Amino acid sequence: MAHGATPEPTNGSGWGRRIRATADMISNGLNVIGTLLILALVVLVNADVLGRNLFLAPISGVPEIVSMSIVAIVFLQVSQAFRMGRFTRTDALLDAIARRSPRLRAAVELIYVAAALALVWFLLSASWPLFEKAWERGTYVGTVGDFTAPEWPVKLVILIGCAALIMQMLIAGAIALSGLLGRGNGGAAR
């Protein structure tokens, strides 16, 4: 297990483990899609560079594709990054707290997760109307006659990534709450 990764709960009901397994499978799947998108961008950018330098024929739309793909990659991989404990934070203070009081660490974890959930929920709520607008109006990036791509797929990926992140945060919050109540290993929820 990676340092800081959310541990598997040692207790809990069968449905809790199934929910956790399903959320983890979704996060892993999105992460794989994000990784494949990175590989596709590597091929695309290299083909564009070769086309420019060898044949004086660049590939149209590469800057637009790269900029949209970077956003998509971030949101495809964010839930897995959270699940594996790779969000920016300091564990030194939490580890010191855990040595004195595992329940206090669980309380701090719960506060962290609650604040993060509020932020991600706000992002999801703000992104939904942008997706609807892009879908209904058919907005696109690029220049007509050269290259255009619809914006809605990236807006949809943002919504999916936020939803997957919320699932992982709810699981981390449940583990922290369990540790706060003294029912498991929630003191090491992340």
Side-chain angles (χ1 to χ4, degrees), residues 14 20 22-23 31 51 55 62 73 88 92-93 106 110-111 116-117 128 136 139-140 144 149 163 166 168 170 177:
R20 173 75 182 261
T22 302
N31 189 47
F55 309 110
V62 171
I73 290 165
T88 302
L93 177 62
L110 193 57
I111 292 168
L117 265 169
W128 181 258
E136 291 168 1
T139 57
Y140 60 88
V144 175
I166 287 171
Q168 288 296 339
L170 288 172
L177 182 60

PDB file of all heavy atoms in Angstrom, residues 14 20 22-23 31 51 55 62 73 88 92-93 106 110-111 116-117 128 136 139-140 144 149 163 166 168 170 177:
ATOM      1  N   GLY A  14     -20.661  -6.272   4.824  1.00  0.00           N
ATOM      2  CA  GLY A  14     -20.391  -6.698   3.464  1.00  0.00           C
ATOM      3  C   GLY A  14     -20.758  -5.642   2.450  1.00  0.00           C
ATOM      4  O   GLY A  14     -20.062  -5.457   1.460  1.00  0.00           O
ATOM      5  N   ARG A  20     -17.079   0.103  -1.239  1.00  0.00           N
ATOM      6  CA  ARG A  20     -15.669   0.489  -1.338  1.00  0.00           C
ATOM      7  C   ARG A  20     -15.032  -0.114  -2.583  1.00  0.00           C
ATOM      8  O   ARG A  20     -14.329   0.556  -3.330  1.00  0.00           O
ATOM      9  CB  ARG A  20     -14.929   0.040  -0.078  1.00  0.00           C
ATOM     10  CG  ARG A  20     -13.434   0.225  -0.096  1.00  0.00           C
ATOM     11  CD  ARG A  20     -13.099   1.702   0.105  1.00  0.00           C
ATOM     12  NE  ARG A  20     -11.693   1.934   0.056  1.00  0.00           N
ATOM     13  CZ  ARG A  20     -10.911   2.061   1.115  1.00  0.00           C
ATOM     14  NH1 ARG A  20     -11.417   1.981   2.325  1.00  0.00           N
ATOM     15  NH2 ARG A  20      -9.643   2.296   0.977  1.00  0.00           N
ATOM     16  N   THR A  22     -16.488  -1.085  -5.345  1.00  0.00           N
ATOM     17  CA  THR A  22     -17.058  -0.455  -6.539  1.00  0.00           C
ATOM     18  C   THR A  22     -16.453   0.930  -6.760  1.00  0.00           C
ATOM     19  O   THR A  22     -16.066   1.274  -7.882  1.00  0.00           O
ATOM     20  CB  THR A  22     -18.597  -0.353  -6.416  1.00  0.00           C
ATOM     21  OG1 THR A  22     -19.120  -1.667  -6.238  1.00  0.00           O
ATOM     22  CG2 THR A  22     -19.204   0.285  -7.647  1.00  0.00           C
ATOM     23  N   ALA A  23     -16.368   1.726  -5.705  1.00  0.00           N
ATOM     24  CA  ALA A  23     -15.772   3.063  -5.824  1.00  0.00           C
ATOM     25  C   ALA A  23     -14.315   2.971  -6.251  1.00  0.00           C
ATOM     26  O   ALA A  23     -13.859   3.750  -7.096  1.00  0.00           O
ATOM     27  CB  ALA A  23     -15.897   3.815  -4.494  1.00  0.00           C
ATOM     28  N   ASN A  31      -8.629   6.365 -13.756  1.00  0.00           N
ATOM     29  CA  ASN A  31      -7.192   6.586 -13.752  1.00  0.00           C
ATOM     30  C   ASN A  31      -6.548   5.966 -14.993  1.00  0.00           C
ATOM     31  O   ASN A  31      -5.678   6.581 -15.621  1.00  0.00           O
ATOM     32  CB  ASN A  31      -6.579   6.006 -12.478  1.00  0.00           C
ATOM     33  CG  ASN A  31      -5.135   6.395 -12.311  1.00  0.00           C
ATOM     34  OD1 ASN A  31      -4.769   7.552 -12.456  1.00  0.00           O
ATOM     35  ND2 ASN A  31      -4.302   5.421 -12.007  1.00  0.00           N
ATOM     36  N   GLY A  51       5.630  16.176 -38.072  1.00  0.00           N
ATOM     37  CA  GLY A  51       4.945  16.739 -39.238  1.00  0.00           C
ATOM     38  C   GLY A  51       5.409  18.149 -39.549  1.00  0.00           C
ATOM     39  O   GLY A  51       5.607  18.514 -40.710  1.00  0.00           O
ATOM     40  N   PHE A  55       7.809  17.517 -42.754  1.00  0.00           N
ATOM     41  CA  PHE A  55       6.930  17.666 -43.901  1.00  0.00           C
ATOM     42  C   PHE A  55       6.309  19.053 -44.025  1.00  0.00           C
ATOM     43  O   PHE A  55       5.513  19.294 -44.923  1.00  0.00           O
ATOM     44  CB  PHE A  55       5.814  16.613 -43.840  1.00  0.00           C
ATOM     45  CG  PHE A  55       6.316  15.218 -43.646  1.00  0.00           C
ATOM     46  CD1 PHE A  55       6.104  14.556 -42.452  1.00  0.00           C
ATOM     47  CD2 PHE A  55       7.010  14.574 -44.657  1.00  0.00           C
ATOM     48  CE1 PHE A  55       6.566  13.267 -42.260  1.00  0.00           C
ATOM     49  CE2 PHE A  55       7.479  13.286 -44.481  1.00  0.00           C
ATOM     50  CZ  PHE A  55       7.264  12.625 -43.275  1.00  0.00           C
ATOM     51  N   VAL A  62      -3.755  20.760 -32.459  1.00  0.00           N
ATOM     52  CA  VAL A  62      -2.995  20.151 -31.368  1.00  0.00           C
ATOM     53  C   VAL A  62      -3.025  21.010 -30.101  1.00  0.00           C
ATOM     54  O   VAL A  62      -3.271  20.475 -29.018  1.00  0.00           O
ATOM     55  CB  VAL A  62      -1.557  19.811 -31.810  1.00  0.00           C
ATOM     56  CG1 VAL A  62      -0.700  19.389 -30.621  1.00  0.00           C
ATOM     57  CG2 VAL A  62      -1.578  18.704 -32.851  1.00  0.00           C
ATOM     58  N   ILE A  73      -7.551  14.960 -18.057  1.00  0.00           N
ATOM     59  CA  ILE A  73      -6.648  14.057 -17.339  1.00  0.00           C
ATOM     60  C   ILE A  73      -6.691  14.327 -15.840  1.00  0.00           C
ATOM     61  O   ILE A  73      -6.754  13.394 -15.030  1.00  0.00           O
ATOM     62  CB  ILE A  73      -5.212  14.181 -17.892  1.00  0.00           C
ATOM     63  CG1 ILE A  73      -5.138  13.576 -19.293  1.00  0.00           C
ATOM     64  CG2 ILE A  73      -4.200  13.506 -16.969  1.00  0.00           C
ATOM     65  CD1 ILE A  73      -3.890  13.963 -20.074  1.00  0.00           C
ATOM     66  N   THR A  88      -1.999  17.003  -1.764  1.00  0.00           N
ATOM     67  CA  THR A  88      -1.045  17.795  -1.015  1.00  0.00           C
ATOM     68  C   THR A  88      -1.564  18.023   0.398  1.00  0.00           C
ATOM     69  O   THR A  88      -2.651  18.537   0.599  1.00  0.00           O
ATOM     70  CB  THR A  88      -0.825  19.159  -1.702  1.00  0.00           C
ATOM     71  OG1 THR A  88      -0.371  18.911  -3.026  1.00  0.00           O
ATOM     72  CG2 THR A  88       0.181  19.985  -0.956  1.00  0.00           C
ATOM     73  N   ALA A  92       2.908  14.905   8.918  1.00  0.00           N
ATOM     74  CA  ALA A  92       3.750  14.963  10.122  1.00  0.00           C
ATOM     75  C   ALA A  92       2.915  15.344  11.347  1.00  0.00           C
ATOM     76  O   ALA A  92       3.017  14.696  12.401  1.00  0.00           O
ATOM     77  CB  ALA A  92       4.889  15.952   9.924  1.00  0.00           C
ATOM     78  N   LEU A  93       2.092  16.370  11.218  1.00  0.00           N
ATOM     79  CA  LEU A  93       1.247  16.793  12.332  1.00  0.00           C
ATOM     80  C   LEU A  93       0.228  15.694  12.669  1.00  0.00           C
ATOM     81  O   LEU A  93       0.022  15.377  13.839  1.00  0.00           O
ATOM     82  CB  LEU A  93       0.528  18.101  12.003  1.00  0.00           C
ATOM     83  CG  LEU A  93      -0.452  18.605  13.060  1.00  0.00           C
ATOM     84  CD1 LEU A  93       0.281  18.908  14.369  1.00  0.00           C
ATOM     85  CD2 LEU A  93      -1.192  19.830  12.567  1.00  0.00           C
ATOM     86  N   ALA A 106      -8.494  11.131  13.923  1.00  0.00           N
ATOM     87  CA  ALA A 106      -9.696  10.828  13.149  1.00  0.00           C
ATOM     88  C   ALA A 106     -10.594  12.063  13.048  1.00  0.00           C
ATOM     89  O   ALA A 106     -11.178  12.321  12.001  1.00  0.00           O
ATOM     90  CB  ALA A 106     -10.447   9.664  13.782  1.00  0.00           C
ATOM     91  N   LEU A 110     -11.646  13.911   9.701  1.00  0.00           N
ATOM     92  CA  LEU A 110     -13.050  14.145   9.383  1.00  0.00           C
ATOM     93  C   LEU A 110     -13.276  15.608   8.983  1.00  0.00           C
ATOM     94  O   LEU A 110     -14.009  15.886   8.029  1.00  0.00           O
ATOM     95  CB  LEU A 110     -13.931  13.748  10.572  1.00  0.00           C
ATOM     96  CG  LEU A 110     -15.417  13.649  10.309  1.00  0.00           C
ATOM     97  CD1 LEU A 110     -15.732  12.660   9.199  1.00  0.00           C
ATOM     98  CD2 LEU A 110     -16.141  13.245  11.586  1.00  0.00           C
ATOM     99  N   ILE A 111     -12.652  16.513   9.684  1.00  0.00           N
ATOM    100  CA  ILE A 111     -12.753  17.941   9.338  1.00  0.00           C
ATOM    101  C   ILE A 111     -12.156  18.189   7.956  1.00  0.00           C
ATOM    102  O   ILE A 111     -12.732  18.902   7.124  1.00  0.00           O
ATOM    103  CB  ILE A 111     -12.086  18.813  10.418  1.00  0.00           C
ATOM    104  CG1 ILE A 111     -12.879  18.738  11.722  1.00  0.00           C
ATOM    105  CG2 ILE A 111     -11.934  20.253   9.943  1.00  0.00           C
ATOM    106  CD1 ILE A 111     -12.161  19.318  12.923  1.00  0.00           C
ATOM    107  N   ALA A 116     -13.037  19.366   2.288  1.00  0.00           N
ATOM    108  CA  ALA A 116     -12.765  18.996   0.899  1.00  0.00           C
ATOM    109  C   ALA A 116     -14.059  18.639   0.171  1.00  0.00           C
ATOM    110  O   ALA A 116     -14.246  19.009  -0.995  1.00  0.00           O
ATOM    111  CB  ALA A 116     -11.781  17.828   0.859  1.00  0.00           C
ATOM    112  N   LEU A 117     -14.951  17.932   0.854  1.00  0.00           N
ATOM    113  CA  LEU A 117     -16.243  17.600   0.254  1.00  0.00           C
ATOM    114  C   LEU A 117     -17.023  18.852  -0.113  1.00  0.00           C
ATOM    115  O   LEU A 117     -17.626  18.917  -1.189  1.00  0.00           O
ATOM    116  CB  LEU A 117     -17.068  16.756   1.225  1.00  0.00           C
ATOM    117  CG  LEU A 117     -16.995  15.250   1.049  1.00  0.00           C
ATOM    118  CD1 LEU A 117     -17.649  14.546   2.234  1.00  0.00           C
ATOM    119  CD2 LEU A 117     -17.616  14.808  -0.245  1.00  0.00           C
ATOM    120  N   TRP A 128     -21.929  21.951 -13.395  1.00  0.00           N
ATOM    121  CA  TRP A 128     -23.116  21.395 -14.046  1.00  0.00           C
ATOM    122  C   TRP A 128     -23.740  22.364 -15.054  1.00  0.00           C
ATOM    123  O   TRP A 128     -24.011  21.973 -16.196  1.00  0.00           O
ATOM    124  CB  TRP A 128     -24.145  20.949 -13.008  1.00  0.00           C
ATOM    125  CG  TRP A 128     -25.352  20.358 -13.659  1.00  0.00           C
ATOM    126  CD1 TRP A 128     -26.562  20.949 -13.849  1.00  0.00           C
ATOM    127  CD2 TRP A 128     -25.438  19.062 -14.257  1.00  0.00           C
ATOM    128  NE1 TRP A 128     -27.402  20.095 -14.513  1.00  0.00           N
ATOM    129  CE2 TRP A 128     -26.737  18.927 -14.786  1.00  0.00           C
ATOM    130  CE3 TRP A 128     -24.542  18.005 -14.402  1.00  0.00           C
ATOM    131  CZ2 TRP A 128     -27.155  17.783 -15.439  1.00  0.00           C
ATOM    132  CZ3 TRP A 128     -24.976  16.859 -15.055  1.00  0.00           C
ATOM    133  CH2 TRP A 128     -26.270  16.760 -15.563  1.00  0.00           C
ATOM    134  N   GLU A 136     -26.166  22.148 -24.777  1.00  0.00           N
ATOM    135  CA  GLU A 136     -27.314  22.741 -25.474  1.00  0.00           C
ATOM    136  C   GLU A 136     -26.903  23.662 -26.613  1.00  0.00           C
ATOM    137  O   GLU A 136     -27.530  23.675 -27.668  1.00  0.00           O
ATOM    138  CB  GLU A 136     -28.183  23.510 -24.472  1.00  0.00           C
ATOM    139  CG  GLU A 136     -28.897  22.609 -23.493  1.00  0.00           C
ATOM    140  CD  GLU A 136     -29.521  23.370 -22.336  1.00  0.00           C
ATOM    141  OE1 GLU A 136     -29.425  24.612 -22.283  1.00  0.00           O
ATOM    142  OE2 GLU A 136     -30.098  22.700 -21.450  1.00  0.00           O
ATOM    143  N   THR A 139     -21.224  24.454 -28.012  1.00  0.00           N
ATOM    144  CA  THR A 139     -20.014  25.281 -28.046  1.00  0.00           C
ATOM    145  C   THR A 139     -18.796  24.424 -28.373  1.00  0.00           C
ATOM    146  O   THR A 139     -18.767  23.219 -28.125  1.00  0.00           O
ATOM    147  CB  THR A 139     -19.799  26.009 -26.705  1.00  0.00           C
ATOM    148  OG1 THR A 139     -19.734  25.053 -25.657  1.00  0.00           O
ATOM    149  CG2 THR A 139     -20.923  26.996 -26.433  1.00  0.00           C
ATOM    150  N   TYR A 140     -17.810  25.060 -28.933  1.00  0.00           N
ATOM    151  CA  TYR A 140     -16.624  24.351 -29.376  1.00  0.00           C
ATOM    152  C   TYR A 140     -15.386  25.220 -29.188  1.00  0.00           C
ATOM    153  O   TYR A 140     -15.483  26.419 -28.945  1.00  0.00           O
ATOM    154  CB  TYR A 140     -16.759  23.953 -30.850  1.00  0.00           C
ATOM    155  CG  TYR A 140     -16.938  25.144 -31.772  1.00  0.00           C
ATOM    156  CD1 TYR A 140     -15.834  25.814 -32.312  1.00  0.00           C
ATOM    157  CD2 TYR A 140     -18.204  25.611 -32.092  1.00  0.00           C
ATOM    158  CE1 TYR A 140     -16.004  26.904 -33.138  1.00  0.00           C
ATOM    159  CE2 TYR A 140     -18.381  26.699 -32.919  1.00  0.00           C
ATOM    160  CZ  TYR A 140     -17.272  27.339 -33.439  1.00  0.00           C
ATOM    161  OH  TYR A 140     -17.440  28.424 -34.257  1.00  0.00           O
ATOM    162  N   VAL A 144     -13.250  27.708 -36.996  1.00  0.00           N
ATOM    163  CA  VAL A 144     -14.046  27.112 -38.062  1.00  0.00           C
ATOM    164  C   VAL A 144     -13.233  27.125 -39.346  1.00  0.00           C
ATOM    165  O   VAL A 144     -12.600  28.116 -39.691  1.00  0.00           O
ATOM    166  CB  VAL A 144     -15.380  27.877 -38.241  1.00  0.00           C
ATOM    167  CG1 VAL A 144     -16.158  27.337 -39.429  1.00  0.00           C
ATOM    168  CG2 VAL A 144     -16.213  27.804 -36.976  1.00  0.00           C
ATOM    169  N   ALA A 149     -13.563  21.403 -31.995  1.00  0.00           N
ATOM    170  CA  ALA A 149     -13.895  20.254 -31.141  1.00  0.00           C
ATOM    171  C   ALA A 149     -14.938  20.712 -30.136  1.00  0.00           C
ATOM    172  O   ALA A 149     -14.843  21.814 -29.589  1.00  0.00           O
ATOM    173  CB  ALA A 149     -12.653  19.740 -30.420  1.00  0.00           C
ATOM    174  N   ALA A 163     -17.703  13.597  -9.225  1.00  0.00           N
ATOM    175  CA  ALA A 163     -18.558  12.583  -8.599  1.00  0.00           C
ATOM    176  C   ALA A 163     -17.714  11.439  -8.035  1.00  0.00           C
ATOM    177  O   ALA A 163     -17.962  10.972  -6.914  1.00  0.00           O
ATOM    178  CB  ALA A 163     -19.576  12.062  -9.611  1.00  0.00           C
ATOM    179  N   ILE A 166     -15.990  12.675  -4.907  1.00  0.00           N
ATOM    180  CA  ILE A 166     -16.944  12.733  -3.790  1.00  0.00           C
ATOM    181  C   ILE A 166     -17.161  11.339  -3.207  1.00  0.00           C
ATOM    182  O   ILE A 166     -17.202  11.173  -1.981  1.00  0.00           O
ATOM    183  CB  ILE A 166     -18.276  13.389  -4.242  1.00  0.00           C
ATOM    184  CG1 ILE A 166     -18.070  14.893  -4.414  1.00  0.00           C
ATOM    185  CG2 ILE A 166     -19.401  13.093  -3.259  1.00  0.00           C
ATOM    186  CD1 ILE A 166     -19.230  15.627  -5.062  1.00  0.00           C
ATOM    187  N   GLN A 168     -15.024   8.844  -3.128  1.00  0.00           N
ATOM    188  CA  GLN A 168     -13.841   8.482  -2.349  1.00  0.00           C
ATOM    189  C   GLN A 168     -13.774   9.289  -1.050  1.00  0.00           C
ATOM    190  O   GLN A 168     -13.364   8.772  -0.012  1.00  0.00           O
ATOM    191  CB  GLN A 168     -12.563   8.685  -3.173  1.00  0.00           C
ATOM    192  CG  GLN A 168     -12.381   7.673  -4.271  1.00  0.00           C
ATOM    193  CD  GLN A 168     -12.203   6.252  -3.775  1.00  0.00           C
ATOM    194  OE1 GLN A 168     -11.840   5.995  -2.628  1.00  0.00           O
ATOM    195  NE2 GLN A 168     -12.464   5.296  -4.646  1.00  0.00           N
ATOM    196  N   LEU A 170     -16.352  10.476   0.639  1.00  0.00           N
ATOM    197  CA  LEU A 170     -17.365   9.941   1.553  1.00  0.00           C
ATOM    198  C   LEU A 170     -16.856   8.681   2.243  1.00  0.00           C
ATOM    199  O   LEU A 170     -17.091   8.483   3.443  1.00  0.00           O
ATOM    200  CB  LEU A 170     -18.673   9.670   0.808  1.00  0.00           C
ATOM    201  CG  LEU A 170     -19.473  10.905   0.393  1.00  0.00           C
ATOM    202  CD1 LEU A 170     -20.641  10.511  -0.505  1.00  0.00           C
ATOM    203  CD2 LEU A 170     -19.953  11.677   1.609  1.00  0.00           C
ATOM    204  N   LEU A 177     -14.833   8.776  10.611  1.00  0.00           N
ATOM    205  CA  LEU A 177     -15.904   8.772  11.616  1.00  0.00           C
ATOM    206  C   LEU A 177     -15.865   7.486  12.446  1.00  0.00           C
ATOM    207  O   LEU A 177     -16.035   7.526  13.668  1.00  0.00           O
ATOM    208  CB  LEU A 177     -17.264   8.934  10.944  1.00  0.00           C
ATOM    209  CG  LEU A 177     -18.474   9.004  11.866  1.00  0.00           C
ATOM    210  CD1 LEU A 177     -18.360  10.194  12.820  1.00  0.00           C
ATOM    211  CD2 LEU A 177     -19.756   9.082  11.053  1.00  0.00           C
TER     212      LEU A 177
END
